[in-house]
Amino acid sequence: MTRAKPEDDEYWNSSKFKAFTFDDEDDEFSQVKSKRAVNSILVDDDDEDEEDVERVSWSGEPVGSISWSVKETASSIRSGSEQSFPKIDTTPSLSKQGSGYSLSSLFKGNLQILLQAFSLEKFCSLQDKLLLLDEAVAVYDGNVITAVLIFLKKSLSKEILFRELMARDVALRHYVHYLKEMGEQKLVVELLKALGRTEDMALMHYKEHLNIKDESRRRDFLKSCLSLPFSQDDATHVQDHYTLLERQIIIEASDKKAVAEIFKKFPRKASILNMPIITTLYYSCFYHYGESEGTFSSPSNIRKTFRISEKQYILTALGARAKLKSWFDVDSLFNTKNWLGYTKKRSPIGFHRVVDILHKNSAPVQVLQEYVNLIDDPDLKLSGALKYKCHDIVINTYRDLKDRQQLIVYREKLERDSPEYRKIQELLNNVQIRWKN
Amino acid sequence: MAHTEWRDAPELPDFSLLKRLARDQLIFLLEQLPGKKDLFIDADLMSPLDRIANVTILKQHEVDKLYKVELKPIVSSSDQLCFLIRPRIQTVKWISDLVNADKVAGRFRRYKIIFTPQKFYACETVLEEQGVYGDVTTDEWNFYILPLDDDILSLELPEFFRDNFLEGDQRWVTTAGSALHLLQSVYGSFSKVYGIGRCAKMVYESWRELMEEGEQRTRQPEFAKVFLVDRDVDFVTPLCSQVVYEGLVDDLFRIKCGTVELGPDVTSSDKSIKVMLNSQDKVFSEIRNEHFSNVFGFLSQKAKNLQTAYDKRRGMDIQQMKAFVSDELKGLKQEHRLLSLHIGASESMMKKKTKQDFQELLKTEHSLLEGFEIRECITYIEEHINRQVSMIDSLRLLCLLSITENGLLSKDYRSLKAQYLQSYGIKHLLTFANLRQLGLLEEQQAGETLTVMESKVGKLVNDKTVGKLTDAFSSLAKKSNFRALSKRLALVPKSGEEYDLRVPRDMAYVFSGAYIPLSCKLIEQVLERDGWTGLEEVTRMLNGQEFAVTARNKTDAQRIVLVMFLGGCTFSEISALRFLGKERDAYYVKQIEYMVNIKLSI
């Protein structure tokens, strides 16, 4: 299929299919359609005469006709009053109990007008205030609920308001959200504390670190978070966060002016500050591999400090060392010695994954072959070998499967007289093998 | 696929009228501030506004310069500033600061804020507190609904989900109610309303109140049935990777306001372009609902046909050539253009999605949906996290695991969370807190008490027995609603059955035949039964809150169904509903808060 050609640009500048931008002229199509629709609505309406139809079929001419707004259209269409849908729940109206004011009427219609006409200041007694709040909640309108809460915030002491909110979850959530939006974090923290929601309070406080840009101030802030009443798990995480940033600051300060060969060969692309733990570990495996555990920047120190699992460690170190093409380091990651002193390769991650990572870092065939050979699952092994062209493994697998046909097929893919080709030839000529096909 | 093929399908009303109404009101509001003015627009209102009014129209109404609201100091020499914004406290604070700065500098200007879709009292309080109430006039632009396509309406309120479900703020309830009211006022009344969910109930009540306040036309023709559904009734569907074309485009490139921006790698030029995706794009409308595996074949066939059409000009004489150029060439070129775009898009999908990684991801999702080999799934998720690949995919998988399994075992939860924080940053412990609040990612509560019990028992008996006990306890603790729902509603077809994606037999095709979206299945069932009768067990598992109400003057069964997803919906659900509509010979109009492409981070 041919790709977009420059001549097509003309289309993009002239067609209605292009993305809307402010420079667009309105397309005719929608104009025609809407015009028709506008008229069709008006046909329904007995009061409108022909002239009126003309007047409202607005198509971009300035002014005059514009006051024809949504609301007017809507109201002009309606006539006669009939309630056609029932209420689902009948929530008992609290308005008449105990209060002289018709509270429900307050919430019908435009809040703006009513709030002006109907001064909230008339609600003096606590009982009235709470009725007001409950009524607001009963009409489901978040805007009204918040409006009442703003009034209560101004006219009640914190302690009383907090106490009353405790039993009113819907109102409470509106209040917390409102305070958050107003940037009154301190008050939220106080409120959550008063409600005994200490974990939420701790998290709320901790969240503030996101707004601190300077790293030393951020570190100090995180330190101040350590004493907050987090859940046991989160306390550990926050402790880690503080330790991590503290170390990153130290590592960053020294690496910024580092002169070691590796930094010249692979200049750092970004600072290590505020990076996740695993990224920091990767960085350390890349630039500080082999340092003794005593230094903060060493992989073993990071691994130990942040309790990184063996699997995760191997995966990260493998990525970093493979990126540097240090195949020797890669090998030693998996080498284990048994009690007789033989080395054997073992891995907490599947060797097919290892091969994947090595391949992505363009490892040479010899290296790949060794790891493909270590894949346990025979199917994965074969598909890996085929994918990465490890001929020996493919040939041996087919031989073990006694699959003559596949060997023949595979032979055709090889260069004539290459060692692999000859190997297959020899196998096929071997009369001692009992082929299955 | 194309709507015109549907036999006897009822005709959809012309929703573009809503745009006209919105535009007229906007112009009316702009006229309220006569004279030249600079207009500041909220960033996320830009695209919706593009659909309503263009620069020429704004200029005609004396808008001089246009700026994006960036919450930074402004450079404007105009004497009149108009702000077109969502009712957000932060924005209003920024405006108040501007006004106060002008006052200090001794500068006199007129200011007007147009809130859309409505103003909030909290915002006006900010003006009052900052001492600029009166200096600034405020207005409301009731731009509730943006028609994104022939059959998709959107409120374009991305914060709906977070505000309503996470923060528990019901500020958008009346907005949704007003949107329904607007539709009813313009297009006719609803014959029936079904719904499920807390928010759905509130929206219904809010709309009913509005209806009672206003006068109601007596014999207004009925226009549609309505189905209101809360997003949290079905969290599973938006957590699954999308595999229908439009869904994939959204997953990979993000469709915003019906428009997608395709990068240079897709357009094979040096710039990216914005493309409108809707039924007017003839190529797109044929593939949007198709499973991805069919798309490429379709496109290449189309390309061949196109080539044949082009080839016609060979051997033409001058007259024929002239006719060809004037009659056909334009259409062909347009098709050519669209075709190469969609082929470009599918190619980069192929590149990204046919990788082994994506296949494994899908396999894991399917296993989770089926409740099969959960241990293997956890191992896969763990590795996904360890490899630091897509943060969002890791989170999606974790949530899917939690929801399908009714929460994670304590030890799994802790270990996965710790590894997640190690890989993607510790600050995400806030994300985990949010997800717990939403019920998207939870630790099994029973698990905790069990651990206590275990350790007590552990002191008395040896380790092996403890292991057995743990197993016994956990099997008791797992009361998986999703599993039960899935079984009851047959959401997951029996595995091993062949599923021909070219000829979909049910809505499961949108997930490669592995899962029927819960939300859509509910809609189908309720419409079939004309209510919730017989679904009592299902609604109990979904925490109730269902309702079905009929208009008292109900006349005849309407075939247009308006489905309103409160908190957003996915393109996969839209495709599934289109499929349902085709089968049931009805139209489903989707009204949504916003297209979700699950974004769960802090």
Side-chain angles (χ1 to χ4, degrees), chain A residues 62-88:
Chain A
V63 229
S65 56
I66 285 147
S67 55
W68 191 66
S69 71
V70 183
K71 275 187 173 156
E72 281 160 323
T73 323
S75 57
S76 72
I77 292 170
R78 292 187 301 238
S79 62
S81 134
E82 183 180 353
Q83 185 198 343
S84 52
F85 274 95
K87 223 176 146 123
I88 314 171

Side-chain angles (χ1 to χ4, degrees), chain B residues 273-291:
Chain B
I273 42 173
K274 282 192 172 178
V275 193
M276 282 258 269
L277 294 177
N278 58 31
S279 51
Q280 290 181 32
D281 175 338
K282 292 293 171 248
V283 176
F284 178 67
S285 70
E286 285 191 77
I287 53 173
R288 67 194 309 184
N289 300 315
E290 286 290 302
H291 188 272

